[in-house]
Amino acid sequence: MFDQLLNGFATALLPLNLLIALCGCLVGTLIGVLPGLGPTATLAMLIPLVFSMPPATALILLTSVYYGSMYGGSTTSILVNIPGESASVITTIDGHKMAMQGRAGPALAVAAIGSFIAGTFAVLMLTFVGAPIARYALLFGPAEFFALMVFGLCTVASLTGTNVTKSIIATCLGLMIATIGIDLVSGAARFTFGNPFLQDGVDFVVVAIGMFALTEVVITAREVHAGTRAQIVKADKVWISWSEFLYSLPAIVRGTVFGFVIGMLPGAGATLSTFIAYNLEKRLCKNPELLGTGDIRGVANPESANNAASGASLVPLLTLGLPGGGATAVMLGALMMLDITPGPLMFEKHGAIVWTLIASMYVGNTLLLLLNWPLVNVFARVMRIPPKFLMPTVLVISTIGVWSLSYSAVDLVLTGAAGVLGYYMRVHKYPVEPLILGLILGGRLEQAYRQALIISAGSNMIFVEKPISLGLLIGAALFLFLPMLLKRSKQFVAAQESAEAA
């Protein structure tokens, strides 16, 4: 194994491959920063280009772009409260508050460091124990995936403290939006109102840009006009201190482990991994009440989970031929076009290419850290731009991002509607993140549920009969209702004590 890995490094460090990896990391980081451009669409656009490359070089390009986009997605989440891609939604909760407190530099730095640690861990796991672990992913059928997504949706209880009702309302609204489009089983159009542009459903980017970007622009304009805009604290430093790193290290470790385990499951994806990892962090860390107020752990944990899940998704892709999400599905297509069939025998049949790919991932992680670390100071200066100049720029970039999806005016109208809804939710203290998660998981949740019912001939008992599914559903119920029960019990005990004192 070590000889093959060394041979892989020898190929990955060739000047051409090193240049390709550097260009891929730069392009990926730029894609992650710009809202509207996702890794899946970008990898699909690069498919024609990879035909002119040797297989190893083509895979280095694709994985570098994929990794780079996961690194870059946190930048706009932290600076302007707009997630660059879906896996960075959770980062907005603490990241933007840190930026408003003059701590954009430490937030960006810990995101880069956490991403590097998580990405390196994922590659190490792929190197040594990828194939044996990947076989356990086959234990997850449709019933287990349905239960896993229900478990993920129940993490909304942690996003709004004790106000679970508003979280459930927002989640249900996201699930309702996800039902728009063509029904996967019957082929019937649902809630399209005769508009052919809605048959493909409502894109996540459309809703996210409306909910985050437009809402942020409107609220900022209102606060500036009223003179109530909170002044951004002048940054004392742009680098993360050693004490901050040690403080966030346990969150990085937990996010890395949870992100890898969940991201390895085909179809789970990095977005679900970040939500679950953040929820578990609130349950396991010290002083969980600080999360959501600009705590650096709220950036370190989801960004680590994001990149660990991105690396973990390559485990089932290479060892079982099962893509973990949209981006890895495009990579699977590229591999098959290059006459490389992923599966249990890939390490034997295409060992040289696989080990070159693994070695290039080590190199790519290092390149991304070296690229992003110096840029922390540059990106942190964005917070010095006055809102009257920054927000119009954000609005223009966001509009271009929506228009580039399908060049449809309907998408622009839907973005405006999402902006109005997001503004109402922000004003009335409804959390936006559960709605986004419901929209992202809605289609896959429905698909898994229907597949499970088809397998069980229409019996819902399949979700109880499967041990993994039952365990996840019980865990989901506990996460959803336990905070309310604990609050009620504390109130009851306090009432009893006050009655006895009286």
Side-chain angles (χ1 to χ4, degrees), residues 88-424:
S88 299
V89 169
I90 282 290
T91 309
T92 61
I93 297 175
D94 286 276
H96 187 60
K97 289 184 177 68
M98 287 186 67
M100 294 298 292
Q101 296 165 7
R103 299 162 61 208
L108 292 167
V110 81
I113 294 170
S115 298
F116 172 75
I117 293 173
T120 304
F121 174 82
V123 181
L124 284 170
M125 296 296 287
L126 173 61
T127 303
F128 297 106
V129 292
I133 289 179
R135 293 189 179 92
Y136 286 101
L138 294 177
L139 296 174
F140 271 68
E144 288 80 6
F145 273 112
F146 171 79
L148 177 66
M149 290 178 204
V150 170
F151 180 83
L153 289 173
C154 287
T155 62
V156 297
S158 69
L159 299 179
T160 53
T162 56
N163 199 341
V164 181
T165 304
K166 289 186 175 181
S167 294
I168 294 176
I169 292 172
T171 305
C172 292
L173 188 57
L175 291 172
M176 290 169 63
I177 297 173
T179 61
I180 297 173
I182 297 294
D183 182 85
L184 293 174
V185 177
S186 66
R190 301 184 300 188
F191 312 115
T192 60
F193 304 100
N195 193 320
F197 289 101
L198 292 176
Q199 290 184 355
D200 287 335
V202 179
D203 196 285
F204 152 77
V205 175
V206 171
V207 177
I209 288 179
M211 288 276 182
F212 287 98
L214 290 189
T215 302
E216 191 69 25
V217 169
V218 172
I219 288 179
T220 301
R222 187 191 70 178
E223 291 176 347
V224 169
H225 178 73
T228 58
R229 176 70 174 170
Q231 293 297 316
I232 299 172
V233 180
K234 187 176 180 180
D236 295 327
K237 55 184 172 51
V238 294
W239 306 109
I240 185 173
S241 66
W242 180 248
S243 60
E244 287 176 320
F245 172 71
L246 291 179
Y247 176 68
S248 60
L249 185 58
I252 292 174
V253 172
R254 286 189 285 263
T256 298
V257 174
F258 292 134
F260 182 84
V261 172
I262 299 164
M264 192 178 56
L265 301 173
T271 306
L272 182 61
S273 300
T274 57
F275 273 83
I276 292 178
Y278 186 83
N279 179 67
L280 293 174
E281 180 66 21
K282 292 197 76 168
R283 300 285 186 257
L284 299 174
C285 71
K286 295 180 180 179
N287 302 318
E289 67 278 0
L290 296 177
L291 287 173
T293 62
D295 195 302
I296 196 169
R297 296 174 299 178
V299 176
N301 178 268
E303 283 304 308
S304 302
N306 175 11
N307 284 270
S310 303
S313 65
L314 295 176
V315 175
L317 174 67
L318 296 177
T319 59
L320 301 173
L322 298 174
T328 48
V330 174
M331 293 173 67
L332 175 62
L335 285 168
M336 298 185 74
M337 290 177 185
L338 294 168
D339 200 23
I340 300 171
T341 304
L345 299 178
M346 185 168 178
F347 280 80
E348 297 178 14
K349 289 185 176 181
H350 307 285
I353 294 175
V354 172
W355 289 107
T356 300
L357 172 62
I358 292 173
S360 73
M361 291 166 69
Y362 285 105
V363 175
N365 263 309
T366 306
L367 286 174
L368 282 165
L369 182 65
L370 295 175
L371 283 171
N372 283 274
W373 189 264
L375 290 175
V376 165
N377 190 16
V378 177
F379 286 138
R381 294 179 186 274
V382 170
M383 297 305 295
R384 299 182 183 179
I385 301 175
K388 63 180 180 180
F389 299 123
L390 178 61
M391 288 300 135
T393 305
V394 169
L395 187 61
V396 170
I397 294 174
S398 300
T399 304
I400 293 172
V402 172
W403 179 255
S404 66
L405 291 173
S406 56
Y407 306 105
S408 168
V410 176
D411 284 343
L412 295 176
V413 174
L414 291 174
T415 303
V420 173
L421 178 62
Y423 179 78
Y424 177 86

Side-chain angles (χ1 to χ4, degrees), residues 463-492:
F463 302 107
V464 181
E465 294 169 352
K466 302 277 187 178
I468 298 176
S469 172
L470 178 61
L472 287 169
L473 290 175
I474 292 174
L478 289 175
F479 273 114
L480 190 60
F481 296 111
L482 195 59
M484 290 190 293
L485 294 176
L486 290 175
K487 181 184 177 183
R488 293 290 176 88
S489 64
K490 289 179 180 178
Q491 290 175 346
F492 177 77

